[in-house]
Amino acid sequence: MTSTKNGSQVGGYRSEVDQQKLGPALVIASSLILAIRTARWPTTHSDGLANMEWEKEVEHSVRIGRLVLSHLTARYPDFFQSKQVPWYVATDEDCPN
């Protein structure tokens, strides 16, 4: 239980994966997936217009990268940088009567 009330006592700390540090990992993972999936595509030159097939591949690669990172952070949190998050002790004010 988290609380921001004055007088709340910290009961201890738990270790959580630092989600803010996963951004670069997601970019790298998605880029690798995209590169592997499109390696055999023929080389094309466009005049700045968006290619719908390319956009779909980018979206799909990001989706796969997020799934993989989500799976890894849930099952193997020790692989990633973590942060200490406080947990608070409930007071009489927090408990219903």
Side-chain angles (χ1 to χ4, degrees):
M1 178 175 155
T2 58
S3 176
T4 56
K5 294 180 184 176
N6 291 337
S8 296
Q9 294 182 357
V10 175
Y13 293 89
R14 68 179 184 276
S15 184
E16 287 185 359
V17 173
D18 193 357
Q19 297 289 331
Q20 292 179 341
K21 303 281 183 170
L22 292 180
L26 179 60
V27 170
I28 293 167
S30 300
S31 298
L32 287 172
I33 293 166
L34 182 64
I36 291 168
R37 289 181 56 88
T38 59
R40 294 187 182 235
W41 282 18
T43 304
T44 58
H45 299 286
S46 70
D47 48 348
L49 299 176
N51 183 351
M52 291 305 292
E53 189 175 357
W54 174 253
E55 288 184 21
K56 287 179 185 178
E57 281 297 324
V58 171
E59 289 290 328
H60 187 67
S61 299
V62 171
R63 190 175 315 119
I64 292 172
R66 284 181 46 200
L67 285 170
V68 169
L69 280 175
S70 175
H71 176 81
L72 289 174
T73 56
R75 297 229 172 33
Y76 308 103
D78 296 337
F79 286 178
F80 301 95
Q81 196 169 21
S82 62
K83 62 181 178 181
Q84 297 296 317
V85 179
W87 58 271
Y88 296 91
V89 177
T91 62
D92 290 338
E93 292 177 7
D94 297 328
C95 299
N97 293 331

